[in-house]
PDB file of all heavy atoms in Angstrom:
ATOM      1  N   LYS A   1      93.253  63.335 116.076  1.00 90.00           N
ATOM      2  CA  LYS A   1      94.299  64.257 116.500  1.00 90.00           C
ATOM      3  C   LYS A   1      95.584  64.062 115.705  1.00 90.00           C
ATOM      4  O   LYS A   1      96.277  65.062 115.358  1.00 90.00           O
ATOM      5  CB  LYS A   1      94.560  64.098 118.003  1.00 90.00           C
ATOM      6  CG  LYS A   1      95.502  65.122 118.576  1.00 90.00           C
ATOM      7  CD  LYS A   1      95.686  64.969 120.080  1.00 90.00           C
ATOM      8  CE  LYS A   1      96.540  66.040 120.671  1.00 90.00           C
ATOM      9  NZ  LYS A   1      96.629  65.928 122.124  1.00 90.00           N
ATOM     10  N   SER A   2      95.926  62.840 115.394  1.00 89.00           N
ATOM     11  CA  SER A   2      97.157  62.563 114.603  1.00 89.00           C
ATOM     12  C   SER A   2      96.984  63.141 113.192  1.00 89.00           C
ATOM     13  O   SER A   2      97.927  63.671 112.597  1.00 89.00           O
ATOM     14  CB  SER A   2      97.475  61.085 114.587  1.00 89.00           C
ATOM     15  OG  SER A   2      96.474  60.383 113.881  1.00 89.00           O
ATOM     16  N   PHE A   3      95.779  62.994 112.640  1.00 90.00           N
ATOM     17  CA  PHE A   3      95.494  63.544 111.294  1.00 90.00           C
ATOM     18  C   PHE A   3      95.633  65.071 111.313  1.00 90.00           C
ATOM     19  O   PHE A   3      96.181  65.688 110.418  1.00 90.00           O
ATOM     20  CB  PHE A   3      94.112  63.103 110.863  1.00 90.00           C
ATOM     21  CG  PHE A   3      93.692  63.721 109.545  1.00 90.00           C
ATOM     22  CD1 PHE A   3      94.128  63.158 108.364  1.00 90.00           C
ATOM     23  CD2 PHE A   3      92.831  64.817 109.522  1.00 90.00           C
ATOM     24  CE1 PHE A   3      93.764  63.739 107.148  1.00 90.00           C
ATOM     25  CE2 PHE A   3      92.447  65.376 108.288  1.00 90.00           C
ATOM     26  CZ  PHE A   3      92.919  64.836 107.136  1.00 90.00           C
ATOM     27  N   TRP A   4      95.146  65.666 112.372  1.00 93.00           N
ATOM     28  CA  TRP A   4      95.231  67.125 112.550  1.00 93.00           C
ATOM     29  C   TRP A   4      96.656  67.596 112.525  1.00 93.00           C
ATOM     30  O   TRP A   4      97.039  68.512 111.842  1.00 93.00           O
ATOM     31  CB  TRP A   4      94.554  67.527 113.867  1.00 93.00           C
ATOM     32  CG  TRP A   4      94.716  68.951 114.260  1.00 93.00           C
ATOM     33  CD1 TRP A   4      95.814  69.526 114.849  1.00 93.00           C
ATOM     34  CD2 TRP A   4      93.753  69.967 114.098  1.00 93.00           C
ATOM     35  NE1 TRP A   4      95.574  70.866 115.061  1.00 93.00           N
ATOM     36  CE2 TRP A   4      94.344  71.166 114.616  1.00 93.00           C
ATOM     37  CE3 TRP A   4      92.457  70.049 113.610  1.00 93.00           C
ATOM     38  CZ2 TRP A   4      93.647  72.397 114.634  1.00 93.00           C
ATOM     39  CZ3 TRP A   4      91.771  71.266 113.642  1.00 93.00           C
ATOM     40  CH2 TRP A   4      92.404  72.407 114.136  1.00 93.00           C
ATOM     41  N   LYS A   5      97.519  66.913 113.300  1.00 89.00           N
ATOM     42  CA  LYS A   5      98.923  67.279 113.356  1.00 89.00           C
ATOM     43  C   LYS A   5      99.637  67.147 112.041  1.00 89.00           C
ATOM     44  O   LYS A   5     100.401  68.034 111.646  1.00 89.00           O
ATOM     45  CB  LYS A   5      99.626  66.426 114.435  1.00 89.00           C
ATOM     46  CG  LYS A   5      99.207  66.726 115.852  1.00 89.00           C
ATOM     47  CD  LYS A   5      99.947  65.836 116.833  1.00 89.00           C
ATOM     48  CE  LYS A   5      99.563  66.177 118.266  1.00 89.00           C
ATOM     49  NZ  LYS A   5     100.286  65.315 119.270  1.00 89.00           N
ATOM     50  N   GLU A   6      99.308  66.088 111.324  1.00 89.00           N
ATOM     51  CA  GLU A   6      99.932  65.884 110.025  1.00 89.00           C
ATOM     52  C   GLU A   6      99.465  66.958 109.023  1.00 89.00           C
ATOM     53  O   GLU A   6     100.250  67.534 108.265  1.00 89.00           O
ATOM     54  CB  GLU A   6      99.563  64.498 109.471  1.00 89.00           C
ATOM     55  CG  GLU A   6     100.186  63.341 110.233  1.00 89.00           C
ATOM     56  CD  GLU A   6      99.651  62.030 109.771  1.00 89.00           C
ATOM     57  OE1 GLU A   6      98.928  62.014 108.773  1.00 89.00           O
ATOM     58  OE2 GLU A   6     100.009  61.021 110.403  1.00 89.00           O
ATOM     59  N   THR A   7      98.169  67.250 109.053  1.00 88.00           N
ATOM     60  CA  THR A   7      97.596  68.208 108.121  1.00 88.00           C
ATOM     61  C   THR A   7      98.108  69.606 108.322  1.00 88.00           C
ATOM     62  O   THR A   7      98.679  70.230 107.445  1.00 88.00           O
ATOM     63  CB  THR A   7      96.065  68.195 108.236  1.00 88.00           C
ATOM     64  OG1 THR A   7      95.574  66.916 107.981  1.00 88.00           O
ATOM     65  CG2 THR A   7      95.445  69.210 107.279  1.00 88.00           C
ATOM     66  N   PHE A   8      97.949  70.139 109.525  1.00 88.00           N
ATOM     67  CA  PHE A   8      98.331  71.522 109.766  1.00 88.00           C
ATOM     68  C   PHE A   8      99.800  71.705 109.947  1.00 88.00           C
ATOM     69  O   PHE A   8     100.372  72.734 109.710  1.00 88.00           O
ATOM     70  CB  PHE A   8      97.565  72.099 110.966  1.00 88.00           C
ATOM     71  CG  PHE A   8      96.094  72.359 110.595  1.00 88.00           C
ATOM     72  CD1 PHE A   8      95.093  71.521 110.991  1.00 88.00           C
ATOM     73  CD2 PHE A   8      95.762  73.462 109.817  1.00 88.00           C
ATOM     74  CE1 PHE A   8      93.798  71.748 110.641  1.00 88.00           C
ATOM     75  CE2 PHE A   8      94.464  73.720 109.494  1.00 88.00           C
ATOM     76  CZ  PHE A   8      93.442  72.860 109.897  1.00 88.00           C
ATOM     77  N   GLY A   9     100.505  70.635 110.393  1.00 76.00           N
ATOM     78  CA  GLY A   9     101.936  70.694 110.495  1.00 76.00           C
ATOM     79  C   GLY A   9     102.599  70.875 109.096  1.00 76.00           C
ATOM     80  O   GLY A   9     103.434  71.743 108.910  1.00 76.00           O
ATOM     81  N   ARG A  10     102.184  70.074 108.154  1.00 66.00           N
ATOM     82  CA  ARG A  10     102.704  70.184 106.774  1.00 66.00           C
ATOM     83  C   ARG A  10     102.294  71.507 106.155  1.00 66.00           C
ATOM     84  O   ARG A  10     103.052  72.112 105.446  1.00 66.00           O
ATOM     85  CB  ARG A  10     102.195  69.005 105.949  1.00 66.00           C
ATOM     86  CG  ARG A  10     102.834  67.674 106.287  1.00 66.00           C
ATOM     87  CD  ARG A  10     102.702  66.687 105.148  1.00 66.00           C
ATOM     88  NE  ARG A  10     101.314  66.461 104.842  1.00 66.00           N
ATOM     89  CZ  ARG A  10     100.613  65.401 105.324  1.00 66.00           C
ATOM     90  NH1 ARG A  10     101.211  64.564 106.109  1.00 66.00           N
ATOM     91  NH2 ARG A  10      99.361  65.225 104.946  1.00 66.00           N
ATOM     92  N   LYS A  11     101.042  71.944 106.460  1.00 56.00           N
ATOM     93  CA  LYS A  11     100.583  73.178 105.847  1.00 56.00           C
ATOM     94  C   LYS A  11     101.392  74.345 106.331  1.00 56.00           C
ATOM     95  O   LYS A  11     101.759  75.256 105.595  1.00 56.00           O
ATOM     96  CB  LYS A  11      99.099  73.376 106.223  1.00 56.00           C
ATOM     97  CG  LYS A  11      98.432  74.476 105.399  1.00 56.00           C
ATOM     98  CD  LYS A  11      98.391  74.096 103.921  1.00 56.00           C
ATOM     99  CE  LYS A  11      97.743  75.217 103.116  1.00 56.00           C
ATOM    100  NZ  LYS A  11      97.825  74.966 101.657  1.00 56.00           N
ATOM    101  N   ASP A  12     101.708  74.365 107.626  1.00 51.00           N
ATOM    102  CA  ASP A  12     102.540  75.472 108.176  1.00 51.00           C
ATOM    103  C   ASP A  12     103.936  75.466 107.544  1.00 51.00           C
ATOM    104  O   ASP A  12     104.463  76.514 107.216  1.00 51.00           O
ATOM    105  CB  ASP A  12     102.703  75.260 109.700  1.00 51.00           C
ATOM    106  CG  ASP A  12     101.494  75.728 110.459  1.00 51.00           C
ATOM    107  OD1 ASP A  12     100.694  76.449 109.855  1.00 51.00           O
ATOM    108  OD2 ASP A  12     101.328  75.339 111.629  1.00 51.00           O
ATOM    109  N   GLU A  13     104.510  74.240 107.324  1.00 51.00           N
ATOM    110  CA  GLU A  13     105.828  74.183 106.689  1.00 51.00           C
ATOM    111  C   GLU A  13     105.794  74.708 105.283  1.00 51.00           C
ATOM    112  O   GLU A  13     106.664  75.498 104.862  1.00 51.00           O
ATOM    113  CB  GLU A  13     106.288  72.713 106.672  1.00 51.00           C
ATOM    114  CG  GLU A  13     106.615  72.208 108.079  1.00 51.00           C
ATOM    115  CD  GLU A  13     106.937  70.718 108.053  1.00 51.00           C
ATOM    116  OE1 GLU A  13     106.909  70.132 106.934  1.00 51.00           O
ATOM    117  OE2 GLU A  13     107.145  70.117 109.096  1.00 51.00           O
ATOM    118  N   LYS A  14     104.744  74.362 104.529  1.00 49.00           N
ATOM    119  CA  LYS A  14     104.655  74.858 103.149  1.00 49.00           C
ATOM    120  C   LYS A  14     104.445  76.357 103.139  1.00 49.00           C
ATOM    121  O   LYS A  14     105.011  77.017 102.287  1.00 49.00           O
ATOM    122  CB  LYS A  14     103.466  74.165 102.454  1.00 49.00           C
ATOM    123  CG  LYS A  14     103.735  72.696 102.132  1.00 49.00           C
ATOM    124  CD  LYS A  14     102.575  72.104 101.360  1.00 49.00           C
ATOM    125  CE  LYS A  14     102.845  70.645 101.016  1.00 49.00           C
ATOM    126  NZ  LYS A  14     101.715  70.053 100.220  1.00 49.00           N
ATOM    127  N   GLY A  15     103.656  76.869 104.075  1.00 49.00           N
ATOM    128  CA  GLY A  15     103.424  78.304 104.115  1.00 49.00           C
ATOM    129  C   GLY A  15     104.702  79.037 104.407  1.00 49.00           C
ATOM    130  O   GLY A  15     104.979  80.086 103.804  1.00 49.00           O
ATOM    131  N   SER A  16     105.517  78.510 105.305  1.00 48.00           N
ATOM    132  CA  SER A  16     106.793  79.188 105.626  1.00 48.00           C
ATOM    133  C   SER A  16     107.735  79.163 104.441  1.00 48.00           C
ATOM    134  O   SER A  16     108.417  80.119 104.145  1.00 48.00           O
ATOM    135  CB  SER A  16     107.437  78.461 106.851  1.00 48.00           C
ATOM    136  OG  SER A  16     106.615  78.549 107.976  1.00 48.00           O
ATOM    137  N   GLU A  17     107.756  78.039 103.729  1.00 46.00           N
ATOM    138  CA  GLU A  17     108.631  77.926 102.558  1.00 46.00           C
ATOM    139  C   GLU A  17     108.209  78.929 101.486  1.00 46.00           C
ATOM    140  O   GLU A  17     109.041  79.579 100.874  1.00 46.00           O
ATOM    141  CB  GLU A  17     108.590  76.506 102.000  1.00 46.00           C
ATOM    142  CG  GLU A  17     109.232  75.457 102.932  1.00 46.00           C
ATOM    143  CD  GLU A  17     109.015  74.031 102.428  1.00 46.00           C
ATOM    144  OE1 GLU A  17     108.342  73.928 101.395  1.00 46.00           O
ATOM    145  OE2 GLU A  17     109.510  73.123 103.088  1.00 46.00           O
ATOM    146  N   ARG A  18     106.910  79.048 101.286  1.00 45.00           N
ATOM    147  CA  ARG A  18     106.426  79.966 100.263  1.00 45.00           C
ATOM    148  C   ARG A  18     106.678  81.408 100.651  1.00 45.00           C
ATOM    149  O   ARG A  18     106.947  82.282  99.795  1.00 45.00           O
ATOM    150  CB  ARG A  18     104.951  79.716 100.003  1.00 45.00           C
ATOM    151  CG  ARG A  18     104.671  78.431  99.211  1.00 45.00           C
ATOM    152  CD  ARG A  18     103.211  78.089  99.215  1.00 45.00           C
ATOM    153  NE  ARG A  18     102.974  76.892  98.402  1.00 45.00           N
ATOM    154  CZ  ARG A  18     101.922  76.166  98.492  1.00 45.00           C
ATOM    155  NH1 ARG A  18     100.924  76.502  99.308  1.00 45.00           N
ATOM    156  NH2 ARG A  18     101.746  75.076  97.728  1.00 45.00           N
ATOM    157  N   GLU A  19     106.574  81.693 101.919  1.00 44.00           N
ATOM    158  CA  GLU A  19     106.845  83.069 102.397  1.00 44.00           C
ATOM    159  C   GLU A  19     108.327  83.406 102.144  1.00 44.00           C
ATOM    160  O   GLU A  19     108.616  84.513 101.685  1.00 44.00           O
ATOM    161  CB  GLU A  19     106.528  83.159 103.895  1.00 44.00           C
ATOM    162  CG  GLU A  19     106.741  84.543 104.460  1.00 44.00           C
ATOM    163  CD  GLU A  19     105.841  85.575 103.886  1.00 44.00           C
ATOM    164  OE1 GLU A  19     104.691  85.206 103.470  1.00 44.00           O
ATOM    165  OE2 GLU A  19     106.232  86.763 103.851  1.00 44.00           O
ATOM    166  N   ARG A  20     109.229  82.483 102.350  1.00 46.00           N
ATOM    167  CA  ARG A  20     110.625  82.724 102.071  1.00 46.00           C
ATOM    168  C   ARG A  20     110.856  82.916 100.609  1.00 46.00           C
ATOM    169  O   ARG A  20     111.634  83.780 100.164  1.00 46.00           O
ATOM    170  CB  ARG A  20     111.477  81.548 102.602  1.00 46.00           C
ATOM    171  CG  ARG A  20     111.585  81.473 104.134  1.00 46.00           C
ATOM    172  CD  ARG A  20     112.689  80.539 104.574  1.00 46.00           C
ATOM    173  NE  ARG A  20     112.416  79.145 104.164  1.00 46.00           N
ATOM    174  CZ  ARG A  20     111.765  78.311 104.923  1.00 46.00           C
ATOM    175  NH1 ARG A  20     111.292  78.675 106.115  1.00 46.00           N
ATOM    176  NH2 ARG A  20     111.571  77.077 104.523  1.00 46.00           N
ATOM    177  N   ASP A  21     110.132  82.109  99.777  1.00 47.00           N
ATOM    178  CA  ASP A  21     110.288  82.263  98.334  1.00 47.00           C
ATOM    179  C   ASP A  21     109.804  83.621  97.886  1.00 47.00           C
ATOM    180  O   ASP A  21     110.433  84.267  96.984  1.00 47.00           O
ATOM    181  CB  ASP A  21     109.481  81.180  97.631  1.00 47.00           C
ATOM    182  CG  ASP A  21     110.099  79.797  97.791  1.00 47.00           C
ATOM    183  OD1 ASP A  21     111.280  79.778  98.158  1.00 47.00           O
ATOM    184  OD2 ASP A  21     109.393  78.801  97.560  1.00 47.00           O
ATOM    185  N   ARG A  22     108.727  84.127  98.461  1.00 43.00           N
ATOM    186  CA  ARG A  22     108.210  85.408  98.062  1.00 43.00           C
ATOM    187  C   ARG A  22     109.212  86.504  98.400  1.00 43.00           C
ATOM    188  O   ARG A  22     109.414  87.484  97.676  1.00 43.00           O
ATOM    189  CB  ARG A  22     106.861  85.727  98.711  1.00 43.00           C
ATOM    190  CG  ARG A  22     105.697  84.968  98.099  1.00 43.00           C
ATOM    191  CD  ARG A  22     104.390  85.619  98.457  1.00 43.00           C
ATOM    192  NE  ARG A  22     104.177  85.602  99.928  1.00 43.00           N
ATOM    193  CZ  ARG A  22     103.595  84.597 100.579  1.00 43.00           C
ATOM    194  NH1 ARG A  22     103.174  83.535  99.922  1.00 43.00           N
ATOM    195  NH2 ARG A  22     103.421  84.680 101.878  1.00 43.00           N
ATOM    196  N   ASN A  23     109.807  86.390  99.570  1.00 44.00           N
ATOM    197  CA  ASN A  23     110.789  87.398  99.992  1.00 44.00           C
ATOM    198  C   ASN A  23     111.985  87.430  99.094  1.00 44.00           C
ATOM    199  O   ASN A  23     112.581  88.490  98.832  1.00 44.00           O
ATOM    200  CB  ASN A  23     111.217  87.152 101.409  1.00 44.00           C
ATOM    201  CG  ASN A  23     110.102  87.378 102.412  1.00 44.00           C
ATOM    202  OD1 ASN A  23     109.163  88.126 102.147  1.00 44.00           O
ATOM    203  ND2 ASN A  23     110.198  86.726 103.577  1.00 44.00           N
ATOM    204  N   GLU A  24     112.390  86.227  98.567  1.00 47.00           N
ATOM    205  CA  GLU A  24     113.566  86.131  97.723  1.00 47.00           C
ATOM    206  C   GLU A  24     113.307  86.432  96.268  1.00 47.00           C
ATOM    207  O   GLU A  24     114.104  87.011  95.581  1.00 47.00           O
ATOM    208  CB  GLU A  24     114.148  84.740  97.888  1.00 47.00           C
ATOM    209  CG  GLU A  24     114.686  84.463  99.272  1.00 47.00           C
ATOM    210  CD  GLU A  24     115.111  83.007  99.427  1.00 47.00           C
ATOM    211  OE1 GLU A  24     115.030  82.274  98.419  1.00 47.00           O
ATOM    212  OE2 GLU A  24     115.552  82.599 100.519  1.00 47.00           O
ATOM    213  N   LYS A  25     112.139  86.010  95.794  1.00 46.00           N
ATOM    214  CA  LYS A  25     111.871  86.086  94.354  1.00 46.00           C
ATOM    215  C   LYS A  25     110.724  87.026  93.976  1.00 46.00           C
ATOM    216  O   LYS A  25     110.429  87.215  92.804  1.00 46.00           O
ATOM    217  CB  LYS A  25     111.567  84.693  93.810  1.00 46.00           C
ATOM    218  CG  LYS A  25     112.648  83.670  94.111  1.00 46.00           C
ATOM    219  CD  LYS A  25     112.211  82.287  93.595  1.00 46.00           C
ATOM    220  CE  LYS A  25     113.302  81.269  93.925  1.00 46.00           C
ATOM    221  NZ  LYS A  25     112.881  79.882  93.475  1.00 46.00           N
ATOM    222  N   GLY A  26     110.058  87.568  95.002  1.00 44.00           N
ATOM    223  CA  GLY A  26     108.881  88.401  94.674  1.00 44.00           C
ATOM    224  C   GLY A  26     107.609  87.584  94.694  1.00 44.00           C
ATOM    225  O   GLY A  26     107.659  86.354  94.901  1.00 44.00           O
TER     226      GLY A  26
END
């Protein structure tokens, strides 16, 4: 369960960051 939280928690953060980048830079 701890591995799950680390894996998908980081993945969600990266996805959000990339979504913001796409909105700003295309």
Side-chain angles (χ1 to χ4, degrees):
K1 186 175 182 179
S2 66
F3 175 79
W4 173 280
K5 290 180 177 179
E6 293 173 6
T7 299
F8 286 103
R10 288 200 300 264
K11 193 65 181 172
D12 281 343
E13 291 173 3
K14 289 183 178 180
S16 298
E17 291 172 0
R18 286 169 177 163
E19 181 65 27
R20 288 194 296 271
D21 289 343
R22 285 199 298 272
N23 292 336
E24 295 174 2
K25 303 177 182 179

